[in-house]
């Protein structure tokens, strides 16, 4: 039996390349690890490729990128994804919105209280040695300069990158209004002005922007936790990361590097007893 409704909804973004091998494992991980989820909305540019899904304990609906934000169609893919995530509140009704991706797997149990403190979604920062502190500090500086604000708190915490990110829908709407008050054309105009993605590109970042806003514009309305100290989330960026013996020593893993292919990655997780629906450790 699933717990009582939590008012939480997940919006899962799935690129065309992730649909065949990652979407179903990602949904099954959510089902096994987050039993409080009421509904998951899959947003993808290729709705017709989603296919049949296994029985799950929450409602699943599928929307196209254009259904969420038709105005974003002309943006470069990478910036369009960020725009869509920062508009995800447009397709949810719950009090808590969690953005994630098909290439992000929740390996261990995550309670509703792991995401909220005193009624507000948590912001997590990361300071472990695997992170890219200077690169992320430049991202904070780029965003704060564009908005004309001082990043007093965000510049001290630096790295907020986590592809399982809780947000307050009301704050997200407030964030877009604030951006519109500072930048011609608002969020859409800002991203259009950046042109194509430039390498790894730290000129923009959806999670960092949200954290910067709640910490330094709204004067810290969000509670903060050290995600590294909690083993909260890890990112796989390279073959070297995949070869580390502790690669899955985390509650949530995001595969930014997928060269082995989804089938091989899922097989590796299974071999390491890290798939939560197969009786592996929690």
């Amino acid at each position: 039996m699933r717990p009582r409704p939590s008012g939480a909804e997940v919006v899962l973004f799935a690129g065309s390349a992730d649909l065949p091998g990652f979407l179903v494992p990602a949904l099954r991980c959510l089902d096994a690890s987050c039993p409080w989820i009421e509904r998951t909305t899959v947003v993808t540019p290729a709705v017709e490729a989603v296919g049949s899904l296994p029985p799950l304990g929450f409602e699943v609906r599928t929307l196209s990128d254009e259904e969420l934000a038709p105005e974003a169609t002309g943006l470069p893919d990478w910036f369009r994804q960020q725009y869509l995530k920062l508009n995800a509140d447009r397709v949810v009704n719950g009090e808590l919105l969690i953005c994630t991706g098909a290439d992000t797997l929740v390996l261990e149990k995550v309670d509703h209280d792991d995401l909220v403190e005193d009624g507000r979604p948590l912001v997590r920062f990361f300071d472990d040695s695997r992170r890219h502190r200077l690169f992320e500090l430049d991202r904070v500086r780029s965003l704060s300069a564009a908005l004309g604000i001082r990043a007093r708190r965000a510049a001290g915490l630096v790295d907020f990158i986590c592809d399982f990110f809780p947000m307050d829908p009301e704050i997200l709407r407030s964030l877009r209004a604030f951006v519109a008050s500072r930048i011609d054309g608002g969020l859409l105009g800002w991203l259009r002005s950046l042109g194509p993605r430039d390498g790894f590109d730290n000129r923009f970042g959806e999670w960092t922007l949200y954290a910067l806003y709640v910490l330094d514009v709204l004067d810290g309305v969000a509670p903060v936790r050290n995600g590294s100290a909690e083993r909260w989330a890890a990112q796989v960026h390279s073959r070297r990361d995949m070869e580390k013996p502790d690669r899955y020593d985390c509650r949530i893993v995001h595969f930014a590097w997928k060269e082995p292919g989804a089938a091989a990655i899922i097989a590796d997780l299974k071999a390491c007893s890290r798939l939560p629906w197969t009786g592996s450790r929690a």
Side-chain angles (χ1 to χ4, degrees):
M1 180 180 296
R2 296 179 79 83
R4 63 180 176 81
S6 64
E9 292 190 45
V10 171
V11 182
L12 186 154
F13 293 87
S16 301
D18 290 337
L19 290 174
F22 280 109
L23 178 60
V24 169
L27 290 171
R28 293 183 72 183
C29 283
L30 286 175
D31 193 36
S33 301
C34 309
W36 41 266
I37 294 173
E38 298 175 33
R39 178 169 70 173
T40 295
T41 299
V42 177
V43 178
T44 178
V47 171
E48 69 286 349
V50 170
S52 61
L53 300 174
L56 299 162
F58 48 76
E59 175 192 352
V60 179
R61 62 171 174 169
T62 304
L63 299 176
S64 68
D65 290 359
E66 290 74 19
E67 287 177 282
L68 193 161
E71 71 276 12
T73 302
L75 288 175
D77 289 350
W78 194 63
F79 290 127
R80 185 176 73 249
Q81 277 281 307
Q82 296 182 69
Y83 183 87
L84 293 173
K85 291 171 185 175
L86 291 169
N87 281 271
D89 60 287
R90 291 161 62 172
V91 295
V92 301
N93 298 315
E95 299 173 358
L96 175 66
L97 160 66
I98 301 101
C99 272
T100 189
D103 53 5
T104 299
L105 305 183
V106 184
L107 305 180
E108 298 182 9
K109 184 179 179 181
V110 171
D111 291 323
H112 185 268
D113 290 345
D114 290 322
L115 302 172
V116 177
E117 186 176 288
D118 297 328
R120 296 185 180 275
L122 284 154
V123 169
R124 283 180 166 85
F125 70 95
F126 300 87
D127 60 2
D128 56 270
S129 60
R130 295 185 182 186
R131 295 286 175 150
H132 307 96
R133 184 174 176 84
L134 292 179
F135 183 83
E136 293 305 327
L137 180 58
D138 282 344
R139 192 191 308 274
V140 172
R141 289 169 172 165
S142 176
L143 293 170
S144 60
L147 293 169
I149 60 175
R150 291 182 60 194
R152 290 181 293 269
R153 294 193 68 196
L157 301 176
V158 178
D159 191 339
F160 307 96
I161 308 303
C162 179
D163 284 85
F164 190 79
F165 200 97
M167 293 186 282
D168 182 325
E170 185 176 345
I171 288 178
L172 203 46
R173 291 187 285 272
S174 171
L175 166 59
R176 293 197 299 270
F178 176 75
V179 170
S181 74
R182 295 293 180 117
I183 295 178
D184 288 343
L187 183 60
L188 185 64
W190 186 1
L191 289 172
R192 280 177 173 159
S193 73
L194 298 178
R197 182 180 183 180
D198 181 13
F200 289 107
D201 212 321
N202 56 3
R203 295 175 295 165
F204 193 85
E206 67 274 40
W207 314 136
T208 306
L209 176 61
Y210 183 90
L212 173 66
Y213 180 64
V214 297
L215 295 176
D216 287 307
V217 178
L218 300 184
D219 295 323
V221 299
V224 176
R225 287 189 191 172
N226 185 328
S228 295
E230 298 177 313
R231 300 173 43 254
W232 182 251
Q235 300 183 64
V236 174
H237 282 288
S238 65
R239 184 179 302 279
R240 181 180 178 184
D241 287 344
M242 278 293 289
E243 292 172 349
K244 292 178 179 177
D246 62 346
R247 58 192 175 279
Y248 303 135
D249 184 21
C250 55
R251 298 170 73 179
I252 300 158
V253 61
H254 170 226
F255 292 95
W257 181 79
K258 309 166 196 176
E259 190 173 303
I265 289 171
I266 300 303
D268 186 56
L269 283 159
K270 185 175 182 180
C272 294
S273 299
R274 294 302 277 140
L275 291 178
W277 72 82
T278 58
S280 55
R281 71 177 176 88

